[in-house]
Amino acid sequence: MTEKLAIDGGAPIRQHVLPYGRQVIDDEDVRAVVDVLKGDWLTTGPLVAQFEEAVASYCGVKHAVAFNSCTAALHAACFAAGVETSTETIVPAMTFVATANAVLFCRGHVVFADVKTDSLLLDIDSLRARLSPRTRAVIAVDYAGQPADISELRALCDERGLKLIVDAAHSLGAKYRGGSVGQHAHFTAFSFHPVKSITTGEGGMAVTNDDRDAQRMRAFRSHGINSDPRARAERGEWLYEMAHLGYNYRIPDMLCALGVSQLRKLDSFIARRSAIASLYRKAFAAVPEIELLAELDDRTSSHHLFPIRINLDRLSAGRTQIFRALRAEGIGVNVHYIPVYWHPHYQRLSYEKGLCPIAEREYERLITLPLWAGMTDTDAKDVVDAVDKVIGAYRKS
Ligand SMILES: *Cc1c(COP(=O)(O)O)cnc(C)c1O
């Protein structure tokens, strides 16, 4: 009954690999970029403020500061939050390395907290156990696009005088208790990498409701210089001051034009992602070898990723073999994430394995299935067929 797997020489489900994520660009996007190229300002121009205003208004926050990546936005947020030498910042182990790296850029100490088994979101009990008099900030991650427990985290941070930063690289457009992601934390950072909700190629944005924090991040983006180069040029002035050490984290106007154009499509992108996620959920609900992430009912996901967990004790193959078999079928699976402190750089900083047992255990059985707004129903059905085929072939009888 079982078909021969492509990895064993059988016919693959797809000839060309379906990526796990990719951008969706239309003619309107292309025109927006080209128009800027023909204008006066390729960087520090009017499109930057336009993109910032569009994101601030979408999220319902006072300030948005655009960066050339989410990593830069996280770095700026850590700087504005006061992360520095001899401070500690708590970060979940289950995230992309950039979340923790932003703390290291500020010479802060990273303290890893564990995640909850059902959602893989930061576990507040684990976080509480890691608080110390040196804790300065907490970075929560909206894993796979589902918002973290922002109200509880914010209450805890406010009670202790800590800054709450949300790494919302996955969750632009997600909602939490009726509000948009970005409204609840002191700082929220978004990514516009091609696999994320909307893209500018590379790009990021930090949002905040605090005037002073917004100003600090704005200066940080441009060498720590307090005045705006376009305003200076227009006034014919040359004087500027560098108040703090900053970076060149500016995003060009072409990319902001793409961002403005993409943002108009964000809700339709999320609706499409949500439809594919529902299709997957229905297809896998009754497959005992597959566990899905819990969907919490006080929030809606932006459906950035569709990670599944494999019940390996029901199968005769390990995660790596299943991963390779799916790839051979033409399904561009991925894994999100290797626990951050398993990476060699963090190992050299003396983090020991075993620190966050749930993140470590779940990592071993995670596989991310393709999910992006440009996928057709046929693409989604290919993914379901390939998963059924591979699981079926390795099922213990
Ligand atoms: C993509 C991502 C980032 C980094 O975003 P860039 O825009 O590529 O710098 C940070 N954190 C998480 C969780 C991400 O997925």
Side-chain angles (χ1 to χ4, degrees):
M1 192 203 107
T2 52
E3 281 173 274
K4 193 171 179 186
L5 294 178
I7 199 172
D8 297 327
I13 300 270
R14 291 175 71 95
Q15 294 303 322
H16 299 288
V17 175
L18 177 71
Y20 87 92
R22 67 156 285 163
Q23 71 278 13
V24 175
I25 300 287
D26 65 15
D27 291 345
E28 189 186 45
D29 293 326
V30 173
R31 254 195 315 275
V33 173
V34 171
D35 284 348
V36 172
L37 282 169
K38 293 174 181 165
D40 289 333
W41 294 93
L42 298 190
T43 190
T44 71
L47 261 302
V48 181
Q50 209 177 304
F51 187 31
E52 290 175 339
E53 278 153 26
V55 170
S57 142
Y58 181 92
C59 294
V61 293
K62 207 163 163 196
H63 302 285
V65 184
F67 290 87
N68 55 16
S69 71
C70 177
T71 305
L74 287 167
H75 185 186
C78 284
F79 168 78
V83 174
E84 59 188 359
T85 314
S86 69
T87 66
E88 294 176 358
T89 297
I90 302 174
V91 172
M94 176 62 72
T95 186
F96 183 54
V97 291
T99 320
N101 292 351
V103 176
L104 298 188
F105 297 159
C106 295
R107 300 173 194 276
H109 182 70
V110 181
V111 175
F112 290 101
D114 213 341
V115 292
K116 292 181 289 185
T117 307
D118 62 344
S119 60
L120 302 183
L121 294 171
L122 180 58
D123 177 357
I124 299 199
D125 293 331
S126 172
L127 164 65
R128 270 206 192 85
R130 280 144 162 97
L131 290 168
S132 92
R134 289 175 301 281
T135 311
R136 177 67 50 91
V138 171
I139 311 182
V141 175
D142 293 344
Y143 179 81
Q146 178 158 250
D149 299 322
I150 325 177
S151 294
E152 289 81 357
L153 288 166
R154 178 67 193 252
L156 178 70
C157 285
D158 284 347
E159 186 188 304
R160 306 263 181 160
L162 311 176
K163 293 293 185 187
L164 177 62
I165 301 169
V166 171
D167 179 342
H170 297 181
S171 60
L172 178 67
K175 304 285 182 278
Y176 179 83
R177 297 185 184 168
S180 287
V181 162
Q183 293 176 0
H184 311 79
H186 295 99
F187 303 90
T188 302
F190 299 113
S191 173
F192 310 123
H193 178 278
V195 299
K196 305 290 165 71
S197 305
I198 61 168
T199 191
T200 60
E202 297 281 0
M205 188 88 74
V207 301
T208 181
N209 281 316
D210 187 282
D211 300 346
R212 208 170 141 260
D213 285 336
Q215 189 45 45
R216 280 161 69 81
M217 291 195 291
R218 235 173 255 293
F220 189 80
R221 168 177 72 183
S222 197
H223 310 284
I225 292 171
N226 260 317
S227 69
D228 173 62
R230 185 160 53 101
R232 274 203 310 277
E234 282 167 358
R235 284 198 303 263
E237 289 173 1
W238 57 271
L239 192 69
Y240 59 85
E241 274 185 329
M242 182 194 133
H244 298 278
L245 183 63
Y247 294 76
N248 179 350
Y249 279 162
R250 296 185 303 257
I251 179 172
D253 280 58
M254 295 83 85
L255 302 191
C256 289
L258 180 54
V260 170
S261 179
Q262 285 262 299
L263 189 64
R264 291 190 200 112
K265 292 171 275 236
L266 173 59
D267 289 340
S268 68
F269 286 168
I270 293 177
R272 181 62 194 148
R273 284 173 175 272
S274 172
I276 298 162
S278 301
L279 186 151
Y280 284 162
R281 284 196 166 262
K282 231 160 92 195
F284 301 135
V287 180
E289 290 82 7
I290 294 175
E291 267 176 58
L292 304 175
L293 285 185
E295 282 195 308
L296 304 165
D297 54 21
D298 59 350
R299 57 202 89 176
T300 57
S301 178
S302 58
H303 301 284
H304 168 56
L305 297 175
F306 199 90
I308 59 171
R309 265 114 20 119
I310 312 282
N311 286 330
L312 293 167
D313 42 355
R314 288 175 167 270
L315 296 166
S316 61
R319 192 259 308 264
T320 304
Q321 181 69 15
I322 292 163
F323 183 96
R324 287 188 185 139
L326 285 167
R327 278 261 166 184
E329 299 297 341
I331 308 302
V333 285
N334 209 319
V335 173
H336 299 91
Y337 291 97
I338 303 164
V340 173
Y341 56 83
W342 282 21
H343 289 283
H345 183 77
Y346 284 88
Q347 284 293 295
R348 280 194 302 274
L349 296 175
S350 307
Y351 291 94
E352 282 178 23
K353 291 198 177 176
L355 217 51
C356 299
I358 294 170
E360 295 186 20
R361 184 191 71 206
E362 296 308 308
Y363 156 67
E364 302 277 12
R365 61 194 200 99
L366 270 170
I367 289 181
T368 301
L369 302 181
L371 178 57
W372 44 285
M375 277 175 63
T376 64
D377 286 354
T378 311
D379 292 334
K381 198 172 163 295
D382 284 347
V383 174
V384 171
D385 289 348
V387 170
D388 285 344
K389 182 179 173 189
V390 169
I391 296 286
Y394 294 122
R395 183 171 280 139
K396 281 183 191 164
S397 43

